[in-house]
Amino acid sequence: MRNLGADRAIPVYLAGFTLTNIGVGGFTLAVGLAFYEKTGSATTFGLLVALEYAVGFLGQLVGGSVLDRYSTLGVALITNSVRCVSVFFGGIILLLTGAQLPLMIAFVISAFIRPQYRSASFVLARQVSPPTELKRINALRSAFLPAAKLTGLGIVALLAAFCSSGVVLCVLTVFFFVGTLGFAALGGLPGGGPGKEGSDAASVRPTSLSESWRQLGTALRSVPGLCVHLILSGMPATVTALAAVLVAPVNHWLHGGSYGIAVLDGGTAVGALCSIALARRLATRTYLVGVACGLSAVALLLLASGSSLVLAGLAFWLLGVATTLGATTLDTILQMRSDEEILGRLFITQECVISVTAVALLPLSGEFASDRGIPFTASLYAVIATGYLGLFVIAFLFLRRRLFGDRVELRRDGDTRGEIVPA
């Protein structure tokens, strides 16, 4: 498919990716609103986010093994279809009967399979793209993701003003359904769909969960710089989540009103979109990882020192630029250095790093923002971004090109079959 259908596969993939993430962007908010209508508790949304992280972490433990043992496209289709059906039934039962248990079941199912879907989507990006197009598709993925989630939030907020939560959830299933159809279309493109087939690929696939994680453990021990790579990959996602968490307290601090929410929340998405062209050209330049960490620190310091909505909007715009450059570079290099047969497990490991980092850092942001103020909170997270920069610099000084240059491969020769070694 890379040779025969890449010109069609890439836009089809991006359409499915974007539409699905519009649904994802609005789903947690829609569920939170549904439970708030019944309970009247403002803490419901926070509890749901914590539950989503906890259940998602369990999904990460098995997700990589599932993906690398089966068809990537099949995993993407099954997980998205299951999520679509469960959300639809949860929404329709809530609409008709008011029962919340099916909706909670749908939420747990969605949280559990989300890491497997995200991992499948990440591997598909490599499978639908020739190597020369990886920078472009990853730049577009990094920019479209916050824009899609912001669109999902906007759709839910608009619909919630006129419709019940059950109707809102049923509307969101349309995005999951059409996104699934987009991925399904990849199988009908010339070449028969993405992925490696045949005995060569099958010979290195893990046959059990224990073998799957044994292979991953060997990779992390054998390839210098791989652990650092995965830790650094947590920076863009953590900063993006932090920006989302800080929107409300920063807007309150600056008395921005509804206009301020649009400036701050939209600033990150606009920054991501503005950096697409630069990310497409330079995504394999490893120094961009350091640039992204540095820009994040500068943006947070600007937010800490500023006292106007204009400066805060500029800071959020810079965060969008930084996270897009960092995510595009780190994702592209991970795809280029890794065998497809282990790429899913590596992405799942990266997701685990992000989850642990988010759970450790993000809950503190609300407490710090309310007790210590925005300047202190932003300065503290600027120090954390600087720590990522320091890790990158130290690792590069010791490893040089090996930090991102060593390949992660599965051997296919008899006695050492399944062993992962650097190329």
Side-chain angles (χ1 to χ4, degrees), residues 230 233-234 331 334 345-354:
L230 297 176
S233 294
D331 284 355
L334 184 62
R345 278 166 285 176
L346 292 176
F347 184 77
I348 284 286
T349 305
Q350 176 179 304
E351 289 285 285
C352 287
V353 171
I354 293 170

Side-chain angles (χ1 to χ4, degrees), residues 208-297:
S208 66
L209 183 62
S210 60
E211 182 184 7
S212 172
W213 293 111
R214 181 185 62 79
Q215 290 178 348
L216 177 64
T218 305
L220 296 175
R221 292 191 303 269
S222 302
V223 182
L226 182 56
C227 287
V228 176
H229 186 161
L230 297 176
I231 292 172
L232 289 172
S233 294
M235 186 280 295
T238 302
V239 171
T240 299
L242 175 65
V245 169
L246 286 180
V247 165
V250 169
N251 189 59
H252 177 74
W253 176 49
L254 298 174
H255 308 288
S258 58
Y259 174 73
I261 292 289
V263 169
L264 301 175
D265 215 1
T268 307
V270 172
L273 292 171
C274 288
S275 57
I276 289 178
L278 182 60
R280 285 174 57 179
R281 293 183 58 188
L282 302 176
T284 53
R285 307 296 177 88
T286 56
Y287 64 79
L288 274 189
V289 177
V291 170
C293 296
L295 280 178
S296 297

